[in-house]
Amino acid sequence: MGLSVEVEDARSGRIIANVDRLQSHATIADVKARIAEKHSKYYVERISLRLDKKGKSLKDNEQLQNLGIDGKLYFKDLGPQIGWSTVFLAEYAGPLFIYLLFYIRPEIIYGAGAADKPMDQVVKYAAACHSFHYAKRLLETIFVHRFSNSTMPIRNLFKNCTYYWGFAAFMAYFINHPLYTAPSAQQTKFALIAFLICEFGNFSIHILLKNLRPPGTRDRKIPMPDANPMTLLYHFVSCPNYTYEVGAWISFGIMTQCLAVMIFMFCGLAQMTIWAQGKHRRYKSEFKAYPRGRTAIIPYII
Amino acid sequence: MTGLHRAYLLLYNVILAAGWASIGWAAVREYNHSGHVKHLFRATEKSLFIFQTAALLEVFNAAVGFVKSSTQNSWGYVLILAAWTVTEVIRYTYYAFNQLNMTPFILTYLRYTLFIVLYPMGVTGELICITKALPVVHSSKLYSWGLPNTWNLSFDYYYVLIGIIPLYVIYFPQLYSHMFRQRKKVLSPRSVDKESKNR
């Protein structure tokens, strides 16, 4: 008569559904689909199913017969979800507009006549670099990245947008200020070159990661340097894309000699270090042959 | 410095001294008991956290102290003094007794009940003090650095204070209800029985 599973809400103890007539090779995804059929409010991306109340979320492709579930699963509502692409597009489009808003030196922010005051060459480079960085991110989101998960909780949209938009305004305010003090032309030149190298490095890693995973699959392989010399950083770290990202912002901060940029860079570094360490740990536990000697994000350090 | 201010500081320092002493004693006890320093952190971390937090109090003392008469002679300051001294004396005594595993129930009860009045009182007092400090901070440019400067960053304490005011209002309901939940957990009949059984 097929498999059947009782699904209980981990928090309230209420029985959400009694799913029966499941095929012998039915998966977690099938159970989620049946729950969504019964309760339209719980679309599949919102559902987490576990073996115990406080256990880990089971993967969609796990077969019920391999789990030894004893006819029972626990349900958790992950809350309203939003697509990863949607969040990325919103959080990256904001800085693009916001920075340029400050660049034109509106009177309401900088006082009367601000737009007519002289503007240093580096201020123009900074606007170009900042805009390039976020335009690149938007294009990568649309054409390059392949996301493992399709959704995240909707509260992340507000949290992430506040972070990116807030810091864009914070940096833009000072760099475009009529009282901005430019560093030497030499400092600007070298830092600009370093910024472009890091942007290219970051892009190179994104391309490598995209090619690591064939379209439509959720393959996981150890990333290794390819023909592009920028990918040689893989000899030293697990997440060179983050390394290059940090490098880009340090360069941007030196180019503009603006402490606001360094503050932003440190916040990003802290978050990316946490992500990189998680990724590094997962690589090590997933692959027996994972190269030792790699650190997570900063060569030899962390 | 008003007499009230001096009394507050005296009380504050006596309590803190006693508190730090209790941490030290707990650490020594732990070392004698276990013979090594491995568990010292676990034995003292809660108290340490409390006293690190108290360090923030010191900052507030200094910040308010700078602004002198207009805030110190205000009702806001009286509210803060009353709320904080009562709360902190009870809180530190509670933790000190916890170190010795002999917390009297009345202390637990007071710690988890008086907040109902003292917390809103303290928040009101702090908001009054901040509001009174605003014009003084603005005219004296306290803790503020402007443009142009070589690091292209400016900081204005006046706007920081203005920004803090709505935060107090926004986070108060969450924090207040969190304390009620803690109270329910700690003072519920089940956990009270567990506590007395542990003695």
Side-chain angles (χ1 to χ4, degrees), chain A residues 174 177 179-181 257-259, chain B residues 147-154:
Chain A
F174 291 110
H177 203 288
L179 295 176
Y180 169 78
T181 313
Q257 197 162 299
C258 178
L259 210 50
Chain B
L147 294 175
N149 63 65
T150 182
W151 295 111
N152 292 305
L153 183 73
S154 68

Side-chain angles (χ1 to χ4, degrees), chain A residues 162, chain B residues 119 123 126-127 130 159-176:
Chain A
T162 304
Chain B
Y119 186 41
V123 166
E126 286 172 36
L127 284 175
I130 292 176
Y159 290 109
V160 169
L161 286 179
I162 290 184
I164 282 179
I165 293 173
L167 291 180
Y168 268 91
V169 178
I170 293 173
Y171 284 108
F172 177 76
Q174 265 176 271
L175 294 172
Y176 201 42

Side-chain angles (χ1 to χ4, degrees), chain B residues 127-143:
Chain B
L127 284 175
I128 292 175
C129 282
I130 292 176
T131 314
K132 285 203 160 277
L134 280 179
V136 183
V137 169
H138 191 59
S139 59
S140 70
K141 299 221 166 303
L142 185 67
Y143 298 144

Side-chain angles (χ1 to χ4, degrees), chain A residues 51-71:
Chain A
L51 289 172
D52 336 271
K53 287 192 184 181
K54 302 225 171 156
K56 258 182 61 161
S57 238
L58 295 166
K59 289 193 202 282
D60 279 359
N61 56 9
E62 292 260 29
Q63 289 194 18
L64 295 178
Q65 61 192 358
N66 297 338
L67 287 170
I69 59 172
D70 185 31

Side-chain angles (χ1 to χ4, degrees), chain B residues 28 30-31 34 41 56 62 75 115 127-128 136 140 171 173 194:
Chain B
V28 170
E30 176 61 33
Y31 182 74
S34 64
F41 179 67
L56 289 177
W75 275 107
F115 79 86
L127 284 175
I128 292 175
V136 183
S140 70
Y171 284 108
K194 244 196 285 180

Side-chain angles (χ1 to χ4, degrees), chain A residues 281-294:
Chain A
R281 245 175 275 130
R282 262 174 274 133
Y283 278 149
K284 284 198 293 190
S285 67
E286 199 170 334
F287 301 112
K288 300 287 174 264
Y290 195 73
R292 297 157 109 269
R294 280 189 193 180

